[in-house]
Amino acid sequence: MEEFLSSCRRAVQENTDQAGSGFHVVLGNEACDVDSMVCALTYAYFLSKTVRSEMLALPLLNIRQSDLVLRSDNVFLLRQIGLSPDLLLFRDQLDLRALQQAGRLRLTLVDHNVLPSSDSDLEGAVVEVIDHHLLEREPSPFCPVIVETVGSCSTLVTEHIIQKAPEILDQQVSQLLYAAVVLDCVNMEPSAGKVTPKDSQYAAALECRFPSLPPRAALFQTLQNAKFDVSGLNTEQMLLKDMKAASGSLNLAVSVLYINLENFLQRAKLEAELSDFCLKFGFDLLLLMTISFSENQEPIRELAVFSHSATCREQVSLYLEQARNPSLNLCPISSPHPHIMAYQQGNNLVSRKKLLPIVKDFLKEQDGDGLLGDSRLGDVEEEEESRFPPTPMNSLVEGCPLDDGLPHISAQDLEEKFSKMADRRGN
């Protein structure tokens, strides 16, 4: 794997600005969680070993190089298997658009099946998809698609490799795949609601082939500890660590925070920092989904809604309280901040991945014309499941995820929007 990654870096450094055969890029989602990173690395490695092509297969992490620090579990895993992060290639190190315009780009998407609107001009380069999220891609005879709702996309990559070229598996590649499956499937525990029979099948297959893989429980715990390590991060970094954006009548973001909600709400100058964050990235509202664990390692989920618009905050909160598919079982708790509504989440099986469809439905209902803006959010999976860095869990790429994109809605515009909605309902 080291030799492969080194050759990819050399090729990019030497050939990016020259006419040539180009690159077959394996691109993970914008969350760049462990699953997304592992799928990009291992599937590109698989292509390099099995596909005869003038185009060099290379993995590309869909974040800026400087954002990798926000993915503490990714960094931990790389070091655990002896891979230097310096060997990786990042979104800000390869000009995909220039390659596309020169006819020198093929794209395989892993851990997502549609490109965000900001990358829609790259759609013509997509030649293959492997994903475990809800299928949003339109069928095409020119783009084979493997989409199956298993717990981890790395399960599908493992299946592909074992069926097509099992000889390329070694301890290092297998440990990457195994770690992603174990982490995404929450130590393969059925009670967590993530693991499927296929995940279990291929985790067991890797264990059988490589008995020296780390013990499952110990591996999960060390990765989980690394993932939840937010020491040293400021509020903005914590929000960006695992965030996805959606838009319609509102621009909003959903951030997974690996911290107890009470502790987060006690951070100094929190409301001012959240306000600055919304202003910087053009958001009208933030949904803060915290996850921590009890002494018995049971997940504890809490939810907070932040917006300076009382109407916006209350509308979203009421919608989430009344959600039934699935129900979040929200119980209001005290918040020390006037612009933050806080809840305990009784249904701890509802991760951000399951919350996003509810958010999309809310945006659809608020739009008078029934149209939804760009809310394609890829896994982060947990956590999850980002054009921000973490996914898990699932977006941070060149600049901010909203770089080309979402018009800001003022508070006055927002009040007028809800006023018109109320008038229509009254009539």
Side-chain angles (χ1 to χ4, degrees):
M1 180 65 81
E2 292 94 333
E3 182 180 347
F4 166 64
L5 294 176
S6 295
S7 67
C8 290
R9 286 191 61 84
R10 287 194 302 271
V12 168
Q13 293 166 356
E14 295 169 2
N15 299 324
T16 298
D17 298 324
Q18 302 174 9
S21 56
F23 300 101
H24 185 158
V25 173
V26 181
L27 184 69
N29 67 44
E30 299 162 301
C32 194
D33 59 353
V34 165
D35 194 29
S36 183
M37 178 188 74
V38 167
C39 288
L41 293 175
T42 56
Y43 196 69
Y45 182 70
F46 163 80
L47 291 176
S48 74
K49 295 292 187 180
T50 60
V51 178
R52 293 180 178 270
S53 172
E54 293 182 355
M55 283 193 167
L56 174 68
L58 61 84
L60 190 68
L61 273 63
N62 207 353
I63 57 172
R64 296 177 300 182
Q65 184 177 24
S66 60
D67 293 326
L68 184 61
V69 66
L70 301 180
R71 269 313 192 186
S72 50
D73 47 351
N74 294 42
V75 175
F76 177 87
L77 176 59
L78 291 170
R79 290 175 176 162
Q80 186 183 52
I81 65 169
L83 278 180
S84 169
D86 294 335
L87 293 171
L88 306 182
L89 287 166
F90 298 84
R91 185 64 189 263
D92 55 341
Q93 296 175 325
L94 188 64
D95 191 339
L96 296 183
R97 286 176 176 80
L99 290 171
Q100 163 77 340
Q101 291 167 4
R104 300 176 56 216
L105 177 67
R106 289 180 189 165
L107 276 177
T108 288
L109 306 183
V110 291
D111 206 20
H112 62 319
N113 62 79
V114 289
L115 290 166
S117 60
S118 54
D119 281 338
S120 60
D121 53 332
L122 301 176
E123 179 59 43
V126 178
V127 297
E128 187 180 20
V129 171
I130 301 177
D131 188 27
H132 69 139
H133 297 102
L134 180 68
L135 179 61
E136 298 181 76
R137 169 169 291 276
E138 293 295 326
S140 166
F142 308 106
C143 179
V145 174
I146 297 174
V147 171
E148 188 173 344
T149 53
V150 293
S152 174
C153 189
S154 291
T155 294
L156 301 179
V157 174
T158 302
E159 178 183 43
H160 201 79
I161 293 175
I162 288 179
Q163 290 180 352
K164 303 289 186 180
E167 68 279 1
I168 76 167
L169 287 173
D170 58 20
Q171 177 78 23
Q172 196 174 53
V173 173
S174 296
Q175 189 164 330
L176 279 170
L177 292 165
Y178 185 65
V181 175
V182 169
L183 182 62
D184 263 14
C185 295
V186 193
N187 198 26
M188 321 306 288
E189 290 290 344
S191 60
K194 306 277 282 189
V195 66
T196 70
K198 181 168 282 192
D199 297 300
S200 298
Q201 175 187 349
Y202 282 99
L206 291 172
E207 291 169 337
C208 181
R209 287 170 176 268
F210 296 92
S212 58
L213 285 171
R216 183 184 291 181
L219 177 61
F220 172 76
Q221 195 57 58
T222 54
L223 287 170
Q224 191 81 331
N225 291 343
K227 178 180 178 178
F228 282 73
D229 182 9
V230 294
S231 59
L233 298 185
N234 60 34
T235 298
E236 178 176 315
Q237 290 173 323
M238 290 179 68
L239 293 170
L240 287 174
K241 179 176 170 66
D242 197 352
M243 182 176 87
K244 299 207 173 191
S247 69
S249 54
L250 302 174
N251 298 331
L252 59 83
V254 184
S255 288
V256 176
L257 304 175
Y258 304 102
I259 188 174
N260 175 281
L261 182 58
E262 181 181 1
N263 292 338
F264 183 75
L265 294 179
Q266 291 175 352
R267 293 174 72 91
K269 301 179 181 178
L270 178 63
E271 277 213 351
E273 291 176 329
L274 295 179
S275 296
D276 291 343
F277 185 85
C278 287
L279 182 62
K280 180 176 181 178
F281 293 103
F283 292 124
D284 302 294
L285 181 139
L286 297 177
L287 286 174
L288 310 173
M289 193 173 212
T290 70
I291 180 168
S292 55
F293 290 85
S294 67
E295 293 181 359
N296 297 326
Q297 293 303 303
E298 291 292 327
I300 300 172
R301 295 186 185 273
E302 297 165 296
L303 193 66
V305 184
F306 168 81
S307 176
H308 275 292
S309 165
T311 303
C312 177
R313 188 171 61 250
E314 291 168 5
Q315 287 275 346
V316 172
S317 297
L318 181 61
Y319 195 89
L320 295 178
E321 289 174 14
Q322 296 177 344
R324 291 294 177 268
N325 189 27
S327 173
L328 281 70
N329 295 339
L330 296 179
C331 178
I333 57 177
S334 175
S335 168
H337 305 285
H339 298 102
I340 298 177
M341 299 185 72
Y343 300 91
Q344 290 179 343
Q345 183 180 311
N347 186 353
N348 61 21
L349 295 181
V350 179
S351 65
R352 200 253 315 273
K353 183 179 180 180
K354 296 177 181 178
L355 177 66
L356 288 174
I358 301 175
V359 172
K360 291 182 180 182
D361 288 343
F362 169 80
L363 292 174
K364 288 178 182 178
E365 289 192 15
Q366 304 313 304
D367 284 354
D369 56 7
L371 298 177
L372 178 63
D374 179 18
S375 60
R376 292 174 179 169
L377 309 170
D379 199 87
V380 222
E381 223 358 73
E382 213 99 19
E383 73 36 60
E384 251 145 12
E385 315 168 42
S386 348
R387 210 102 169 201
F388 300 93
T391 231
M393 293 237 223
N394 250 279
S395 293
L396 285 165
V397 289
E398 297 180 285
C400 101
L402 304 176
D403 266 354
D404 299 315
L406 303 177
H408 183 70
I409 299 176
S410 68
Q412 181 178 354
D413 292 336
L414 187 62
E415 297 291 348
E416 290 177 357
K417 181 77 172 177
F418 282 118
S419 177
K420 291 177 182 179
M421 287 167 50
D423 289 342
R424 287 199 299 270
R425 288 171 182 163
N427 293 331

